[in-house]
Amino acid sequence: MRILGNTRSISRRNRLLPSLTTVGSMSSTMVATAAPSAAGTRDVRRIVGGRMSEWQRTAQQEGLRRRAAEAAVWAMPAVNYEMMRATLAPDGGNGFVYWSGLLDWRNQTLTPNPDLIYYMAFMDPGADGPFVVDIPPGTGEHVLNGSLCNIWQVPLEDVGRFGADEGRGAKYLLLPPGYDDDVPDGYLPIRCDTRRVYALLRSVLPEATDRALQDGLEYCRGIRIYPLAQADDPPETPRHDLQGRIVDTRIPYDLRFWEALDRVIQAEPWLPRDRPFAEMLASIGIKRGAQFEPDADRVALLEEALHDAHAFLRDRYEHEPTFYEGRQWFFPAGRDFITGQATNFTDGEVYPYTDRGVIYHMAFIGLKSLGIGQFYLVNLRDSDGELLRSDRSYRMRVPAGVPVSQYWSVTVYDGNDHTFIRGNEKFSVASNALDLKTNDDGSVDVYFGPTVAGNEANSVPTSNCETFELMFRFYGVGPEVMSRQFQLEDVHRV
């Protein structure tokens, strides 16, 4: 499989999770089995005497740990979604949550964008029937970039300027699984394969001013969601402002991960491509229609397996093939993932759920047309290949003429959990900032480090964390980005 970049060995992509030395092989455990135990698993026993030997007990536990680790990698996008839903919309309500100002450090979601307005909605067509997402036309200056996604964060459709409505506005109709009634005229139908879906909408600001912010919020107030059954007289859409509140949706690498996954399994139908994981989850105690009640030993095993999965994903993340020859920037997934996201993984020959696990352990996003409306590159290392450290100072030179129709930005995140650095007041440098300082040749120098005195407009502080990571955003992506005719430079230690 070829990846977007081409400079690092990618043989690791062909390895399965059992390559972790801490995860046992299942092949040695294929011995006689007894009836299921009270814990919901099968005890491996000797044929004579019915007593489990120590090596058999170890093999069984390592086998279960391997299964749990593999399941955690597969489940990452759904758990990511469930953490967002349970935190932002625990009681449902089919309304919007939004931030009435640019985000600050209290937003502890995964790699959020600090330079635009977020509007989000969590909907349940499976319970409420067909659901309408009514997007008004964009204006010359204020446009919407957004997506409608299922719980696996697969984009069902992009909306706004780079979506199906091309900025003209539309009424998107979310149809629940199995819906076969007629679709009324005047709607863009979207067939959902999960009962619940979400809308992730971004109002892009033409410039970083309070006036632009207020105009963007006014535009967003025209977006509505409501059941199709109420389309003749739509109710007012509830809206909840989260500005100033601590919102923590980081992936929990403990029992809460499995509890979140259990909630997903109880609420959603099994997709055909995922049915093998039904048996895998049942073996560790998660089964649709059954209570998830692990005892202390099972909790310990599940948390150890989750740590294995996290370490595995983190290692792949830190060693992704680069996007440019001989440089450090990368996109945190392979081409199979990008194609799969755009087609809802309809290619029966490949299911890149490991790549999917990598990207959703550090981001919350779904884009059907990645590389058109938006594109992202990540950097963890300086030009010498060393991880970026918060106690060191760095400079990045952004070349002149970044090929974007909206804006570009580079954002700093905590390297440990992919969130805004706690306590910081600034997180990015963006091309729509009025005070951005530009060099004579049109390039822009951006600085990162523990102190930024004297050059605040072009700098982002990195204190209060151990390591940090960078994300470069292209909004309104020009073809030179994906063809690599335009290339970002490495980050250099000052």
Side-chain angles (χ1 to χ4, degrees):
M1 179 178 68
R2 293 298 298 169
I3 308 301
L4 287 175
N6 55 13
T7 64
R8 292 182 184 159
S9 170
I10 57 174
S11 61
R12 69 176 60 243
R13 290 194 175 279
N14 297 320
R15 302 176 193 165
L16 298 178
L17 188 58
S19 63
L20 287 172
T21 58
T22 55
V23 182
S25 170
M26 290 293 289
S27 61
S28 63
T29 66
M30 303 303 291
V31 294
T33 60
S37 70
T41 63
R42 299 182 67 88
D43 290 339
V44 183
R45 301 181 184 277
R46 290 178 175 172
I47 297 177
V48 179
R51 180 174 298 177
M52 184 185 297
S53 67
E54 188 60 33
W55 75 264
Q56 286 174 317
R57 192 186 317 278
T58 299
Q60 182 194 54
Q61 293 300 103
E62 290 186 350
L64 292 175
R65 179 168 166 172
R66 174 198 176 279
R67 285 191 154 201
E70 194 76 42
V73 171
W74 162 79
M76 194 61 66
V79 171
N80 185 331
Y81 157 86
E82 178 59 17
M83 294 304 299
M84 291 286 286
R85 184 208 64 80
T87 302
L88 299 179
D91 302 320
N94 294 322
F96 280 113
V97 294
Y98 73 102
W99 285 261
S100 58
L102 299 181
L103 302 183
D104 61 22
W105 71 266
R106 295 172 182 82
N107 185 303
Q108 289 288 295
T109 58
L110 297 179
T111 56
N113 188 336
D115 299 304
L116 45 66
I117 299 169
Y118 275 112
Y119 249 65
M120 300 181 63
F122 296 84
M123 297 159 285
D124 191 347
D128 299 326
F131 221 83
V132 179
V133 179
D134 190 346
I135 304 293
T139 66
E141 290 189 340
H142 296 282
V143 297
L144 196 72
N145 291 17
S147 302
L148 305 172
C149 303
N150 69 14
I151 66 132
W152 292 97
Q153 304 200 47
V154 172
L156 304 172
E157 190 55 85
D158 292 338
V159 305
R161 171 167 288 185
F162 300 103
D165 62 284
E166 298 181 337
R168 295 188 294 267
K171 294 180 179 179
Y172 292 86
L173 184 59
L174 300 168
L175 304 174
Y179 184 85
D180 57 5
D181 290 349
D182 292 337
V183 176
D185 293 336
Y187 296 90
L188 289 178
I190 298 177
R191 298 194 177 275
C192 307
D193 55 355
T194 59
R195 294 175 56 84
R196 297 172 299 171
V197 295
Y198 72 88
L200 179 58
L201 311 176
R202 312 166 192 83
S203 179
V204 180
L205 307 183
E207 58 184 27
T209 63
D210 185 66
R211 175 62 182 272
L213 177 68
Q214 297 307 317
D215 288 349
L217 289 169
E218 180 62 28
Y219 169 80
C220 289
R221 281 190 279 271
I223 306 172
R224 299 186 297 171
I225 58 174
Y226 48 84
L228 178 64
Q230 299 177 336
D232 291 340
D233 185 20
E236 185 69 24
T237 302
R239 300 167 200 270
H240 305 287
D241 185 1
L242 301 179
Q243 189 69 22
R245 291 178 52 185
I246 293 179
V247 176
D248 189 347
T249 64
R250 291 172 294 168
I251 303 295
Y253 294 98
D254 54 31
L255 181 61
R256 292 172 295 169
F257 180 99
W258 301 106
E259 292 171 337
L261 178 57
D262 180 65
R263 293 196 297 271
V264 171
I265 297 304
Q266 302 307 324
E268 294 291 341
W270 279 102
L271 301 179
R273 65 173 176 258
D274 291 326
R275 290 194 181 278
F277 287 92
E279 177 188 359
M280 193 174 293
L281 289 180
S283 71
I284 60 174
I286 296 177
K287 184 176 182 180
R288 193 168 187 186
Q291 292 289 324
F292 176 52
E293 298 176 332
D295 60 21
D297 289 342
R298 180 55 53 84
V299 169
L301 183 147
L302 291 175
E303 292 188 341
E304 290 171 358
L306 188 56
H307 295 157
D308 291 343
H310 187 202
F312 174 69
L313 293 173
R314 181 75 192 197
D315 179 70
R316 289 177 67 103
Y317 178 63
E318 292 185 355
H319 298 90
E320 287 284 353
T322 59
F323 190 69
Y324 308 118
E325 181 78 27
R327 300 189 184 182
Q328 301 294 341
W329 294 94
F330 66 92
F331 181 80
R335 188 174 297 280
D336 285 341
F337 167 81
I338 295 174
T339 302
Q341 282 283 93
T343 61
N344 202 352
F345 301 102
T346 54
D347 182 357
E349 297 299 318
V350 61
Y351 185 20
Y353 68 85
T354 303
D355 270 3
R356 188 182 68 178
V358 171
I359 201 167
Y360 285 113
H361 97 288
M362 53 75 64
F364 182 83
I365 189 174
L367 295 172
K368 194 175 184 70
S369 301
L370 184 68
I372 297 178
Q374 290 118 264
F375 190 62
Y376 309 83
L377 290 175
V378 175
N379 196 345
L380 309 178
R381 302 175 187 277
D382 64 21
S383 57
D384 294 324
E386 295 186 13
L387 289 175
L388 300 171
R389 288 173 36 177
S390 62
D391 61 348
R392 293 177 175 176
S393 295
Y394 303 88
R395 188 206 70 193
M396 172 190 177
R397 176 159 292 171
V398 181
V402 180
V404 292
S405 61
Q406 293 179 320
Y407 78 100
W408 62 260
S409 69
V410 58
T411 308
V412 171
Y413 300 102
D414 189 312
N416 289 324
D417 56 16
H418 323 292
T419 60
F420 288 150
I421 298 173
R422 293 156 193 77
N424 267 22
E425 296 182 0
K426 186 178 181 182
F427 312 99
S428 69
V429 170
S431 63
N432 63 354
L434 298 183
D435 59 352
L436 185 69
K437 296 179 180 179
T438 303
N439 298 325
D440 291 341
D441 64 355
S443 65
V444 176
D445 288 333
V446 183
Y447 297 90
F448 315 98
T451 59
V452 296
N455 196 14
E456 287 82 0
N458 286 34
S459 301
V460 184
T462 60
S463 55
N464 301 323
C465 68
E466 181 180 358
T467 63
F468 67 94
E469 59 193 14
L470 301 175
M471 180 177 289
F472 198 97
R473 288 177 166 88
F474 303 86
Y475 264 63
V477 186
E480 300 86 352
V481 174
M482 303 310 292
S483 68
R484 300 175 182 79
Q485 291 175 270
F486 172 86
Q487 297 196 7
L488 293 175
E489 296 185 10
D490 273 341
V491 177
H492 295 267
R493 185 176 173 185
V494 177

